[in-house]
Amino acid sequence: MSSKDTCPLCGGTKKSGTTTFTVDGKETLVVIRNVPAIICSLCGNEWLSDEVAANVENIVDEAKNKKHLFEVTQYSEVA
Ligand SMILES: [Zn+2]
């Protein structure tokens, strides 16, 4: 097994799946559902790819611009 598939925290196995990502901004709490992530099957730690992290950042910015107190959205690929 390559170290790429092993959790650096607990030695468990990393698997791809989806997670709910929550960002607590100053004015807006943003919840993004169905974010693709690599999740440790043992300790539950999550990793996002650079591409997914960049998309999440865009989604958070967009949600904050709406000036709502609370925004729940689905993850989607943004161009
Ligand atoms: Zn782990």
Side-chain angles (χ1 to χ4, degrees):
M1 197 194 289
S2 75
S3 61
K4 195 167 142 268
D5 302 317
T6 305
C7 175
L9 302 176
C10 73
T13 308
K14 292 199 268 182
K15 286 181 178 171
S16 56
T18 57
T19 185
T20 299
F21 198 80
T22 307
V23 178
D24 196 355
K26 273 181 184 162
E27 289 167 351
T28 311
L29 178 71
V30 186
V31 178
I32 307 166
R33 307 185 72 187
N34 295 322
V35 178
I38 303 296
I39 302 159
C40 175
S41 58
L42 214 58
C43 71
N45 202 66
E46 297 159 354
W47 294 265
L48 302 184
S49 71
D50 288 349
E51 199 188 335
V52 171
N55 273 335
V56 163
E57 220 168 279
N58 285 336
I59 293 168
V60 169
D61 282 348
E62 229 171 82
K64 280 181 179 173
N65 285 339
K66 293 180 186 171
K67 305 280 182 198
H68 293 166
L69 288 174
F70 186 64
E71 185 79 18
V72 181
T73 185
Q74 296 270 354
Y75 177 84
S76 60
E77 307 276 331
V78 250

